[in-house]
Amino acid sequence: MPDPVLDTPVSPLRQRLIDDMNMRRFSRETQRNYVRDIGRLATFLGRSPDTATADDLRTPPRSAAL
């Protein structure tokens, strides 16, 4: 069955992520979850995840701040 998250046209970065996960024999569900979560990271950052810095990743989303 086609997976809309994994089967849509993809950027070179997303394709590399999927290729790496296939090489490591990740399950289809794990791949779907990783791609979804990287998309959420991109939304949080407001830019491509490959431009994230260590400081970006240490900063919690505002909803998670105590």
mmCIF file with all atom_site columns, all heavy atoms in Angstrom, residues 10-35:
data_model
loop_
_atom_site.group_PDB
_atom_site.id
_atom_site.type_symbol
_atom_site.label_atom_id
_atom_site.label_alt_id
_atom_site.label_comp_id
_atom_site.label_asym_id
_atom_site.label_entity_id
_atom_site.label_seq_id
_atom_site.pdbx_PDB_ins_code
_atom_site.Cartn_x
_atom_site.Cartn_y
_atom_site.Cartn_z
_atom_site.occupancy
_atom_site.B_iso_or_equiv
_atom_site.pdbx_formal_charge
_atom_site.auth_seq_id
_atom_site.auth_comp_id
_atom_site.auth_asym_id
_atom_site.auth_atom_id
_atom_site.pdbx_PDB_model_num
ATOM 1   N N   . VAL A 1 10 ? 10.217 14.231 -3.493 1.00 0.00 ? 10 VAL A N   1
ATOM 2   C CA  . VAL A 1 10 ? 11.062 14.550 -2.344 1.00 0.00 ? 10 VAL A CA  1
ATOM 3   C C   . VAL A 1 10 ? 12.261 15.399 -2.738 1.00 0.00 ? 10 VAL A C   1
ATOM 4   O O   . VAL A 1 10 ? 12.727 15.363 -3.871 1.00 0.00 ? 10 VAL A O   1
ATOM 5   C CB  . VAL A 1 10 ? 11.563 13.265 -1.650 1.00 0.00 ? 10 VAL A CB  1
ATOM 6   C CG1 . VAL A 1 10 ? 10.418 12.487 -1.064 1.00 0.00 ? 10 VAL A CG1 1
ATOM 7   C CG2 . VAL A 1 10 ? 12.352 12.391 -2.585 1.00 0.00 ? 10 VAL A CG2 1
ATOM 8   N N   . SER A 1 11 ? 12.738 16.129 -1.752 1.00 0.00 ? 11 SER A N   1
ATOM 9   C CA  . SER A 1 11 ? 13.959 16.918 -1.936 1.00 0.00 ? 11 SER A CA  1
ATOM 10  C C   . SER A 1 11 ? 15.156 15.977 -1.877 1.00 0.00 ? 11 SER A C   1
ATOM 11  O O   . SER A 1 11 ? 15.053 14.850 -1.382 1.00 0.00 ? 11 SER A O   1
ATOM 12  C CB  . SER A 1 11 ? 14.065 17.955 -0.820 1.00 0.00 ? 11 SER A CB  1
ATOM 13  O OG  . SER A 1 11 ? 14.329 17.306 0.413  1.00 0.00 ? 11 SER A OG  1
ATOM 14  N N   . PRO A 1 12 ? 16.303 16.429 -2.340 1.00 0.00 ? 12 PRO A N   1
ATOM 15  C CA  . PRO A 1 12 ? 17.510 15.592 -2.240 1.00 0.00 ? 12 PRO A CA  1
ATOM 16  C C   . PRO A 1 12 ? 17.833 15.205 -0.791 1.00 0.00 ? 12 PRO A C   1
ATOM 17  O O   . PRO A 1 12 ? 18.269 14.089 -0.523 1.00 0.00 ? 12 PRO A O   1
ATOM 18  C CB  . PRO A 1 12 ? 18.606 16.461 -2.838 1.00 0.00 ? 12 PRO A CB  1
ATOM 19  C CG  . PRO A 1 12 ? 17.894 17.403 -3.751 1.00 0.00 ? 12 PRO A CG  1
ATOM 20  C CD  . PRO A 1 12 ? 16.555 17.652 -3.112 1.00 0.00 ? 12 PRO A CD  1
ATOM 21  N N   . LEU A 1 13 ? 17.593 16.114 0.153  1.00 0.00 ? 13 LEU A N   1
ATOM 22  C CA  . LEU A 1 13 ? 17.858 15.819 1.564  1.00 0.00 ? 13 LEU A CA  1
ATOM 23  C C   . LEU A 1 13 ? 16.946 14.705 2.067  1.00 0.00 ? 13 LEU A C   1
ATOM 24  O O   . LEU A 1 13 ? 17.400 13.757 2.708  1.00 0.00 ? 13 LEU A O   1
ATOM 25  C CB  . LEU A 1 13 ? 17.679 17.073 2.417  1.00 0.00 ? 13 LEU A CB  1
ATOM 26  C CG  . LEU A 1 13 ? 17.899 16.908 3.915  1.00 0.00 ? 13 LEU A CG  1
ATOM 27  C CD1 . LEU A 1 13 ? 19.343 16.488 4.196  1.00 0.00 ? 13 LEU A CD1 1
ATOM 28  C CD2 . LEU A 1 13 ? 17.560 18.197 4.648  1.00 0.00 ? 13 LEU A CD2 1
ATOM 29  N N   . ARG A 1 14 ? 15.657 14.793 1.758  1.00 0.00 ? 14 ARG A N   1
ATOM 30  C CA  . ARG A 1 14 ? 14.714 13.756 2.191  1.00 0.00 ? 14 ARG A CA  1
ATOM 31  C C   . ARG A 1 14 ? 15.043 12.427 1.516  1.00 0.00 ? 14 ARG A C   1
ATOM 32  O O   . ARG A 1 14 ? 14.993 11.378 2.148  1.00 0.00 ? 14 ARG A O   1
ATOM 33  C CB  . ARG A 1 14 ? 13.274 14.163 1.880  1.00 0.00 ? 14 ARG A CB  1
ATOM 34  C CG  . ARG A 1 14 ? 12.275 13.106 2.345  1.00 0.00 ? 14 ARG A CG  1
ATOM 35  C CD  . ARG A 1 14 ? 10.862 13.487 2.055  1.00 0.00 ? 14 ARG A CD  1
ATOM 36  N NE  . ARG A 1 14 ? 10.452 14.536 2.966  1.00 0.00 ? 14 ARG A NE  1
ATOM 37  C CZ  . ARG A 1 14 ? 9.199  14.914 3.118  1.00 0.00 ? 14 ARG A CZ  1
ATOM 38  N NH1 . ARG A 1 14 ? 8.237  14.357 2.431  1.00 0.00 ? 14 ARG A NH1 1
ATOM 39  N NH2 . ARG A 1 14 ? 8.895  15.868 3.969  1.00 0.00 ? 14 ARG A NH2 1
ATOM 40  N N   . GLN A 1 15 ? 15.410 12.464 0.236  1.00 0.00 ? 15 GLN A N   1
ATOM 41  C CA  . GLN A 1 15 ? 15.757 11.230 -0.468 1.00 0.00 ? 15 GLN A CA  1
ATOM 42  C C   . GLN A 1 15 ? 16.975 10.569 0.157  1.00 0.00 ? 15 GLN A C   1
ATOM 43  O O   . GLN A 1 15 ? 17.036 9.355  0.314  1.00 0.00 ? 15 GLN A O   1
ATOM 44  C CB  . GLN A 1 15 ? 16.002 11.492 -1.958 1.00 0.00 ? 15 GLN A CB  1
ATOM 45  C CG  . GLN A 1 15 ? 16.210 10.227 -2.748 1.00 0.00 ? 15 GLN A CG  1
ATOM 46  C CD  . GLN A 1 15 ? 15.002 9.308  -2.658 1.00 0.00 ? 15 GLN A CD  1
ATOM 47  O OE1 . GLN A 1 15 ? 13.883 9.701  -2.949 1.00 0.00 ? 15 GLN A OE1 1
ATOM 48  N NE2 . GLN A 1 15 ? 15.217 8.066  -2.239 1.00 0.00 ? 15 GLN A NE2 1
ATOM 49  N N   . ARG A 1 16 ? 17.962 11.390 0.544  1.00 0.00 ? 16 ARG A N   1
ATOM 50  C CA  . ARG A 1 16 ? 19.153 10.843 1.195  1.00 0.00 ? 16 ARG A CA  1
ATOM 51  C C   . ARG A 1 16 ? 18.787 10.185 2.524  1.00 0.00 ? 16 ARG A C   1
ATOM 52  O O   . ARG A 1 16 ? 19.285 9.106  2.854  1.00 0.00 ? 16 ARG A O   1
ATOM 53  C CB  . ARG A 1 16 ? 20.187 11.943 1.405  1.00 0.00 ? 16 ARG A CB  1
ATOM 54  C CG  . ARG A 1 16 ? 21.538 11.393 1.853  1.00 0.00 ? 16 ARG A CG  1
ATOM 55  C CD  . ARG A 1 16 ? 22.584 12.464 1.921  1.00 0.00 ? 16 ARG A CD  1
ATOM 56  N NE  . ARG A 1 16 ? 22.348 13.277 3.109  1.00 0.00 ? 16 ARG A NE  1
ATOM 57  C CZ  . ARG A 1 16 ? 22.702 14.537 3.242  1.00 0.00 ? 16 ARG A CZ  1
ATOM 58  N NH1 . ARG A 1 16 ? 23.289 15.169 2.249  1.00 0.00 ? 16 ARG A NH1 1
ATOM 59  N NH2 . ARG A 1 16 ? 22.469 15.186 4.348  1.00 0.00 ? 16 ARG A NH2 1
ATOM 60  N N   . LEU A 1 17 ? 17.900 10.830 3.286  1.00 0.00 ? 17 LEU A N   1
ATOM 61  C CA  . LEU A 1 17 ? 17.433 10.256 4.553  1.00 0.00 ? 17 LEU A CA  1
ATOM 62  C C   . LEU A 1 17 ? 16.749 8.914  4.308  1.00 0.00 ? 17 LEU A C   1
ATOM 63  O O   . LEU A 1 17 ? 17.047 7.923  4.978  1.00 0.00 ? 17 LEU A O   1
ATOM 64  C CB  . LEU A 1 17 ? 16.476 11.225 5.251  1.00 0.00 ? 17 LEU A CB  1
ATOM 65  C CG  . LEU A 1 17 ? 15.785 10.716 6.511  1.00 0.00 ? 17 LEU A CG  1
ATOM 66  C CD1 . LEU A 1 17 ? 16.787 10.471 7.619  1.00 0.00 ? 17 LEU A CD1 1
ATOM 67  C CD2 . LEU A 1 17 ? 14.704 11.689 6.957  1.00 0.00 ? 17 LEU A CD2 1
ATOM 68  N N   . ILE A 1 18 ? 15.861 8.851  3.325  1.00 0.00 ? 18 ILE A N   1
ATOM 69  C CA  . ILE A 1 18 ? 15.147 7.607  3.015  1.00 0.00 ? 18 ILE A CA  1
ATOM 70  C C   . ILE A 1 18 ? 16.119 6.535  2.535  1.00 0.00 ? 18 ILE A C   1
ATOM 71  O O   . ILE A 1 18 ? 16.041 5.376  2.961  1.00 0.00 ? 18 ILE A O   1
ATOM 72  C CB  . ILE A 1 18 ? 14.026 7.872  1.984  1.00 0.00 ? 18 ILE A CB  1
ATOM 73  C CG1 . ILE A 1 18 ? 12.935 8.739  2.628  1.00 0.00 ? 18 ILE A CG1 1
ATOM 74  C CG2 . ILE A 1 18 ? 13.440 6.562  1.461  1.00 0.00 ? 18 ILE A CG2 1
ATOM 75  C CD1 . ILE A 1 18 ? 11.915 9.283  1.647  1.00 0.00 ? 18 ILE A CD1 1
ATOM 76  N N   . ASP A 1 19 ? 17.054 6.904  1.675  1.00 0.00 ? 19 ASP A N   1
ATOM 77  C CA  . ASP A 1 19 ? 18.054 5.936  1.204  1.00 0.00 ? 19 ASP A CA  1
ATOM 78  C C   . ASP A 1 19 ? 18.883 5.382  2.353  1.00 0.00 ? 19 ASP A C   1
ATOM 79  O O   . ASP A 1 19 ? 19.135 4.171  2.424  1.00 0.00 ? 19 ASP A O   1
ATOM 80  C CB  . ASP A 1 19 ? 18.974 6.567  0.154  1.00 0.00 ? 19 ASP A CB  1
ATOM 81  C CG  . ASP A 1 19 ? 18.275 6.884  -1.147 1.00 0.00 ? 19 ASP A CG  1
ATOM 82  O OD1 . ASP A 1 19 ? 17.159 6.358  -1.382 1.00 0.00 ? 19 ASP A OD1 1
ATOM 83  O OD2 . ASP A 1 19 ? 18.841 7.671  -1.935 1.00 0.00 ? 19 ASP A OD2 1
ATOM 84  N N   . ASP A 1 20 ? 19.300 6.256  3.255  1.00 0.00 ? 20 ASP A N   1
ATOM 85  C CA  . ASP A 1 20 ? 20.077 5.810  4.415  1.00 0.00 ? 20 ASP A CA  1
ATOM 86  C C   . ASP A 1 20 ? 19.258 4.869  5.298  1.00 0.00 ? 20 ASP A C   1
ATOM 87  O O   . ASP A 1 20 ? 19.775 3.861  5.789  1.00 0.00 ? 20 ASP A O   1
ATOM 88  C CB  . ASP A 1 20 ? 20.561 6.994  5.239  1.00 0.00 ? 20 ASP A CB  1
ATOM 89  C CG  . ASP A 1 20 ? 21.672 7.779  4.580  1.00 0.00 ? 20 ASP A CG  1
ATOM 90  O OD1 . ASP A 1 20 ? 22.236 7.288  3.574  1.00 0.00 ? 20 ASP A OD1 1
ATOM 91  O OD2 . ASP A 1 20 ? 21.980 8.890  5.062  1.00 0.00 ? 20 ASP A OD2 1
ATOM 92  N N   . MET A 1 21 ? 17.988 5.186  5.483  1.00 0.00 ? 21 MET A N   1
ATOM 93  C CA  . MET A 1 21 ? 17.142 4.314  6.313  1.00 0.00 ? 21 MET A CA  1
ATOM 94  C C   . MET A 1 21 ? 16.912 2.966  5.631  1.00 0.00 ? 21 MET A C   1
ATOM 95  O O   . MET A 1 21 ? 16.875 1.931  6.310  1.00 0.00 ? 21 MET A O   1
ATOM 96  C CB  . MET A 1 21 ? 15.818 5.002  6.641  1.00 0.00 ? 21 MET A CB  1
ATOM 97  C CG  . MET A 1 21 ? 15.987 6.152  7.608  1.00 0.00 ? 21 MET A CG  1
ATOM 98  S SD  . MET A 1 21 ? 14.440 6.856  8.202  1.00 0.00 ? 21 MET A SD  1
ATOM 99  C CE  . MET A 1 21 ? 13.789 7.620  6.720  1.00 0.00 ? 21 MET A CE  1
ATOM 100 N N   . ASN A 1 22 ? 16.765 2.959  4.302  1.00 0.00 ? 22 ASN A N   1
ATOM 101 C CA  . ASN A 1 22 ? 16.631 1.687  3.578  1.00 0.00 ? 22 ASN A CA  1
ATOM 102 C C   . ASN A 1 22 ? 17.892 0.852  3.711  1.00 0.00 ? 22 ASN A C   1
ATOM 103 O O   . ASN A 1 22 ? 17.823 -0.366 3.926  1.00 0.00 ? 22 ASN A O   1
ATOM 104 C CB  . ASN A 1 22 ? 16.327 1.935  2.099  1.00 0.00 ? 22 ASN A CB  1
ATOM 105 C CG  . ASN A 1 22 ? 14.887 2.302  1.860  1.00 0.00 ? 22 ASN A CG  1
ATOM 106 O OD1 . ASN A 1 22 ? 13.991 1.849  2.567  1.00 0.00 ? 22 ASN A OD1 1
ATOM 107 N ND2 . ASN A 1 22 ? 14.654 3.127  0.857  1.00 0.00 ? 22 ASN A ND2 1
ATOM 108 N N   . MET A 1 23 ? 19.048 1.505  3.598  1.00 0.00 ? 23 MET A N   1
ATOM 109 C CA  . MET A 1 23 ? 20.319 0.802  3.710  1.00 0.00 ? 23 MET A CA  1
ATOM 110 C C   . MET A 1 23 ? 20.455 0.162  5.107  1.00 0.00 ? 23 MET A C   1
ATOM 111 O O   . MET A 1 23 ? 20.997 -0.930 5.237  1.00 0.00 ? 23 MET A O   1
ATOM 112 C CB  . MET A 1 23 ? 21.473 1.770  3.454  1.00 0.00 ? 23 MET A CB  1
ATOM 113 C CG  . MET A 1 23 ? 22.830 1.121  3.432  1.00 0.00 ? 23 MET A CG  1
ATOM 114 S SD  . MET A 1 23 ? 24.153 2.258  2.956  1.00 0.00 ? 23 MET A SD  1
ATOM 115 C CE  . MET A 1 23 ? 23.905 3.624  4.056  1.00 0.00 ? 23 MET A CE  1
ATOM 116 N N   . ARG A 1 24 ? 19.927 0.843  6.103  1.00 0.00 ? 24 ARG A N   1
ATOM 117 C CA  . ARG A 1 24 ? 19.992 0.332  7.477  1.00 0.00 ? 24 ARG A CA  1
ATOM 118 C C   . ARG A 1 24 ? 18.823 -0.598 7.810  1.00 0.00 ? 24 ARG A C   1
ATOM 119 O O   . ARG A 1 24 ? 18.675 -1.031 8.941  1.00 0.00 ? 24 ARG A O   1
ATOM 120 C CB  . ARG A 1 24 ? 20.043 1.501  8.451  1.00 0.00 ? 24 ARG A CB  1
ATOM 121 C CG  . ARG A 1 24 ? 21.352 2.252  8.369  1.00 0.00 ? 24 ARG A CG  1
ATOM 122 C CD  . ARG A 1 24 ? 21.336 3.494  9.264  1.00 0.00 ? 24 ARG A CD  1
ATOM 123 N NE  . ARG A 1 24 ? 22.622 4.154  9.287  1.00 0.00 ? 24 ARG A NE  1
ATOM 124 C CZ  . ARG A 1 24 ? 23.047 5.035  8.391  1.00 0.00 ? 24 ARG A CZ  1
ATOM 125 N NH1 . ARG A 1 24 ? 22.301 5.348  7.354  1.00 0.00 ? 24 ARG A NH1 1
ATOM 126 N NH2 . ARG A 1 24 ? 24.229 5.599  8.508  1.00 0.00 ? 24 ARG A NH2 1
ATOM 127 N N   . ARG A 1 25 ? 17.991 -0.850 6.809  1.00 0.00 ? 25 ARG A N   1
ATOM 128 C CA  . ARG A 1 25 ? 16.871 -1.782 6.915  1.00 0.00 ? 25 ARG A CA  1
ATOM 129 C C   . ARG A 1 25 ? 15.835 -1.354 7.954  1.00 0.00 ? 25 ARG A C   1
ATOM 130 O O   . ARG A 1 25 ? 15.270 -2.181 8.664  1.00 0.00 ? 25 ARG A O   1
ATOM 131 C CB  . ARG A 1 25 ? 17.370 -3.197 7.171  1.00 0.00 ? 25 ARG A CB  1
ATOM 132 C CG  . ARG A 1 25 ? 18.338 -3.666 6.087  1.00 0.00 ? 25 ARG A CG  1
ATOM 133 C CD  . ARG A 1 25 ? 18.913 -5.011 6.360  1.00 0.00 ? 25 ARG A CD  1
ATOM 134 N NE  . ARG A 1 25 ? 17.910 -6.059 6.292  1.00 0.00 ? 25 ARG A NE  1
ATOM 135 C CZ  . ARG A 1 25 ? 17.666 -6.816 5.236  1.00 0.00 ? 25 ARG A CZ  1
ATOM 136 N NH1 . ARG A 1 25 ? 18.396 -6.654 4.163  1.00 0.00 ? 25 ARG A NH1 1
ATOM 137 N NH2 . ARG A 1 25 ? 16.737 -7.728 5.257  1.00 0.00 ? 25 ARG A NH2 1
ATOM 138 N N   . PHE A 1 26 ? 15.583 -0.034 8.038  1.00 0.00 ? 26 PHE A N   1
ATOM 139 C CA  . PHE A 1 26 ? 14.536 0.460  8.913  1.00 0.00 ? 26 PHE A CA  1
ATOM 140 C C   . PHE A 1 26 ? 13.191 0.029  8.341  1.00 0.00 ? 26 PHE A C   1
ATOM 141 O O   . PHE A 1 26 ? 13.006 0.009  7.119  1.00 0.00 ? 26 PHE A O   1
ATOM 142 C CB  . PHE A 1 26 ? 14.555 1.986  8.993  1.00 0.00 ? 26 PHE A CB  1
ATOM 143 C CG  . PHE A 1 26 ? 15.670 2.572  9.812  1.00 0.00 ? 26 PHE A CG  1
ATOM 144 C CD1 . PHE A 1 26 ? 16.774 1.840  10.196 1.00 0.00 ? 26 PHE A CD1 1
ATOM 145 C CD2 . PHE A 1 26 ? 15.611 3.889  10.202 1.00 0.00 ? 26 PHE A CD2 1
ATOM 146 C CE1 . PHE A 1 26 ? 17.804 2.396  10.946 1.00 0.00 ? 26 PHE A CE1 1
ATOM 147 C CE2 . PHE A 1 26 ? 16.620 4.473  10.956 1.00 0.00 ? 26 PHE A CE2 1
ATOM 148 C CZ  . PHE A 1 26 ? 17.714 3.717  11.324 1.00 0.00 ? 26 PHE A CZ  1
ATOM 149 N N   . SER A 1 27 ? 12.243 -0.267 9.203  1.00 0.00 ? 27 SER A N   1
ATOM 150 C CA  . SER A 1 27 ? 10.909 -0.657 8.736  1.00 0.00 ? 27 SER A CA  1
ATOM 151 C C   . SER A 1 27 ? 10.240 0.542  8.068  1.00 0.00 ? 27 SER A C   1
ATOM 152 O O   . SER A 1 27 ? 10.605 1.699  8.281  1.00 0.00 ? 27 SER A O   1
ATOM 153 C CB  . SER A 1 27 ? 10.050 -1.145 9.903  1.00 0.00 ? 27 SER A CB  1
ATOM 154 O OG  . SER A 1 27 ? 9.639  -0.056 10.706 1.00 0.00 ? 27 SER A OG  1
ATOM 155 N N   . ARG A 1 28 ? 9.230  0.245  7.261  1.00 0.00 ? 28 ARG A N   1
ATOM 156 C CA  . ARG A 1 28 ? 8.479  1.298  6.562  1.00 0.00 ? 28 ARG A CA  1
ATOM 157 C C   . ARG A 1 28 ? 7.850  2.262  7.579  1.00 0.00 ? 28 ARG A C   1
ATOM 158 O O   . ARG A 1 28 ? 7.841  3.475  7.384  1.00 0.00 ? 28 ARG A O   1
ATOM 159 C CB  . ARG A 1 28 ? 7.411  0.628  5.694  1.00 0.00 ? 28 ARG A CB  1
ATOM 160 C CG  . ARG A 1 28 ? 6.716  1.529  4.758  1.00 0.00 ? 28 ARG A CG  1
ATOM 161 C CD  . ARG A 1 28 ? 7.435  1.558  3.439  1.00 0.00 ? 28 ARG A CD  1
ATOM 162 N NE  . ARG A 1 28 ? 6.551  2.166  2.445  1.00 0.00 ? 28 ARG A NE  1
ATOM 163 C CZ  . ARG A 1 28 ? 6.995  2.803  1.407  1.00 0.00 ? 28 ARG A CZ  1
ATOM 164 N NH1 . ARG A 1 28 ? 8.270  2.865  1.171  1.00 0.00 ? 28 ARG A NH1 1
ATOM 165 N NH2 . ARG A 1 28 ? 6.159  3.349  0.562  1.00 0.00 ? 28 ARG A NH2 1
ATOM 166 N N   . GLU A 1 29 ? 7.342  1.719  8.680  1.00 0.00 ? 29 GLU A N   1
ATOM 167 C CA  . GLU A 1 29 ? 6.720  2.562  9.705  1.00 0.00 ? 29 GLU A CA  1
ATOM 168 C C   . GLU A 1 29 ? 7.755  3.473  10.368 1.00 0.00 ? 29 GLU A C   1
ATOM 169 O O   . GLU A 1 29 ? 7.495  4.659  10.610 1.00 0.00 ? 29 GLU A O   1
ATOM 170 C CB  . GLU A 1 29 ? 6.030  1.705  10.759 1.00 0.00 ? 29 GLU A CB  1
ATOM 171 C CG  . GLU A 1 29 ? 5.300  2.523  11.797 1.00 0.00 ? 29 GLU A CG  1
ATOM 172 C CD  . GLU A 1 29 ? 4.519  1.678  12.781 1.00 0.00 ? 29 GLU A CD  1
ATOM 173 O OE1 . GLU A 1 29 ? 4.414  0.454  12.595 1.00 0.00 ? 29 GLU A OE1 1
ATOM 174 O OE2 . GLU A 1 29 ? 4.012  2.267  13.749 1.00 0.00 ? 29 GLU A OE2 1
ATOM 175 N N   . THR A 1 30 ? 8.930  2.944  10.668 1.00 0.00 ? 30 THR A N   1
ATOM 176 C CA  . THR A 1 30 ? 9.987  3.760  11.265 1.00 0.00 ? 30 THR A CA  1
ATOM 177 C C   . THR A 1 30 ? 10.393 4.875  10.306 1.00 0.00 ? 30 THR A C   1
ATOM 178 O O   . THR A 1 30 ? 10.565 6.025  10.713 1.00 0.00 ? 30 THR A O   1
ATOM 179 C CB  . THR A 1 30 ? 11.209 2.893  11.627 1.00 0.00 ? 30 THR A CB  1
ATOM 180 O OG1 . THR A 1 30 ? 10.803 1.920  12.595 1.00 0.00 ? 30 THR A OG1 1
ATOM 181 C CG2 . THR A 1 30 ? 12.355 3.725  12.173 1.00 0.00 ? 30 THR A CG2 1
ATOM 182 N N   . GLN A 1 31 ? 10.509 4.550  9.024  1.00 0.00 ? 31 GLN A N   1
ATOM 183 C CA  . GLN A 1 31 ? 10.852 5.568  8.028  1.00 0.00 ? 31 GLN A CA  1
ATOM 184 C C   . GLN A 1 31 ? 9.788  6.654  7.987  1.00 0.00 ? 31 GLN A C   1
ATOM 185 O O   . GLN A 1 31 ? 10.111 7.846  7.954  1.00 0.00 ? 31 GLN A O   1
ATOM 186 C CB  . GLN A 1 31 ? 11.005 4.935  6.656  1.00 0.00 ? 31 GLN A CB  1
ATOM 187 C CG  . GLN A 1 31 ? 12.228 4.055  6.533  1.00 0.00 ? 31 GLN A CG  1
ATOM 188 C CD  . GLN A 1 31 ? 12.394 3.524  5.140  1.00 0.00 ? 31 GLN A CD  1
ATOM 189 O OE1 . GLN A 1 31 ? 12.065 4.182  4.173  1.00 0.00 ? 31 GLN A OE1 1
ATOM 190 N NE2 . GLN A 1 31 ? 12.926 2.313  5.034  1.00 0.00 ? 31 GLN A NE2 1
ATOM 191 N N   . ARG A 1 32 ? 8.542  6.262  7.998  1.00 0.00 ? 32 ARG A N   1
ATOM 192 C CA  . ARG A 1 32 ? 7.438  7.226  7.974  1.00 0.00 ? 32 ARG A CA  1
ATOM 193 C C   . ARG A 1 32 ? 7.523  8.149  9.194  1.00 0.00 ? 32 ARG A C   1
ATOM 194 O O   . ARG A 1 32 ? 7.390  9.364  9.081  1.00 0.00 ? 32 ARG A O   1
ATOM 195 C CB  . ARG A 1 32 ? 6.092  6.501  7.953  1.00 0.00 ? 32 ARG A CB  1
ATOM 196 C CG  . ARG A 1 32 ? 4.900  7.435  7.897  1.00 0.00 ? 32 ARG A CG  1
ATOM 197 C CD  . ARG A 1 32 ? 3.575  6.678  7.949  1.00 0.00 ? 32 ARG A CD  1
ATOM 198 N NE  . ARG A 1 32 ? 3.457  5.804  9.108  1.00 0.00 ? 32 ARG A NE  1
ATOM 199 C CZ  . ARG A 1 32 ? 3.118  6.221  10.339 1.00 0.00 ? 32 ARG A CZ  1
ATOM 200 N NH1 . ARG A 1 32 ? 2.875  7.480  10.563 1.00 0.00 ? 32 ARG A NH1 1
ATOM 201 N NH2 . ARG A 1 32 ? 3.033  5.359  11.337 1.00 0.00 ? 32 ARG A NH2 1
ATOM 202 N N   . ASN A 1 33 ? 7.781  7.562  10.363 1.00 0.00 ? 33 ASN A N   1
ATOM 203 C CA  . ASN A 1 33 ? 7.876  8.355  11.589 1.00 0.00 ? 33 ASN A CA  1
ATOM 204 C C   . ASN A 1 33 ? 9.058  9.322  11.548 1.00 0.00 ? 33 ASN A C   1
ATOM 205 O O   . ASN A 1 33 ? 8.930  10.482 11.951 1.00 0.00 ? 33 ASN A O   1
ATOM 206 C CB  . ASN A 1 33 ? 7.979  7.446  12.809 1.00 0.00 ? 33 ASN A CB  1
ATOM 207 C CG  . ASN A 1 33 ? 6.708  6.688  13.083 1.00 0.00 ? 33 ASN A CG  1
ATOM 208 O OD1 . ASN A 1 33 ? 5.623  7.093  12.670 1.00 0.00 ? 33 ASN A OD1 1
ATOM 209 N ND2 . ASN A 1 33 ? 6.827  5.567  13.771 1.00 0.00 ? 33 ASN A ND2 1
ATOM 210 N N   . TYR A 1 34 ? 10.212 8.862  11.071 1.00 0.00 ? 34 TYR A N   1
ATOM 211 C CA  . TYR A 1 34 ? 11.389 9.732  10.983 1.00 0.00 ? 34 TYR A CA  1
ATOM 212 C C   . TYR A 1 34 ? 11.123 10.898 10.029 1.00 0.00 ? 34 TYR A C   1
ATOM 213 O O   . TYR A 1 34 ? 11.431 12.038 10.353 1.00 0.00 ? 34 TYR A O   1
ATOM 214 C CB  . TYR A 1 34 ? 12.608 8.947  10.502 1.00 0.00 ? 34 TYR A CB  1
ATOM 215 C CG  . TYR A 1 34 ? 13.401 8.267  11.590 1.00 0.00 ? 34 TYR A CG  1
ATOM 216 C CD1 . TYR A 1 34 ? 12.787 7.535  12.598 1.00 0.00 ? 34 TYR A CD1 1
ATOM 217 C CD2 . TYR A 1 34 ? 14.782 8.324  11.600 1.00 0.00 ? 34 TYR A CD2 1
ATOM 218 C CE1 . TYR A 1 34 ? 13.523 6.899  13.582 1.00 0.00 ? 34 TYR A CE1 1
ATOM 219 C CE2 . TYR A 1 34 ? 15.527 7.688  12.576 1.00 0.00 ? 34 TYR A CE2 1
ATOM 220 C CZ  . TYR A 1 34 ? 14.889 6.976  13.565 1.00 0.00 ? 34 TYR A CZ  1
ATOM 221 O OH  . TYR A 1 34 ? 15.626 6.358  14.533 1.00 0.00 ? 34 TYR A OH  1
ATOM 222 N N   . VAL A 1 35 ? 10.568 10.598 8.858  1.00 0.00 ? 35 VAL A N   1
ATOM 223 C CA  . VAL A 1 35 ? 10.294 11.656 7.876  1.00 0.00 ? 35 VAL A CA  1
ATOM 224 C C   . VAL A 1 35 ? 9.293  12.651 8.454  1.00 0.00 ? 35 VAL A C   1
ATOM 225 O O   . VAL A 1 35 ? 9.470  13.873 8.335  1.00 0.00 ? 35 VAL A O   1
ATOM 226 C CB  . VAL A 1 35 ? 9.808  11.051 6.544  1.00 0.00 ? 35 VAL A CB  1
ATOM 227 C CG1 . VAL A 1 35 ? 9.271  12.133 5.622  1.00 0.00 ? 35 VAL A CG1 1
ATOM 228 C CG2 . VAL A 1 35 ? 10.938 10.279 5.871  1.00 0.00 ? 35 VAL A CG2 1
#
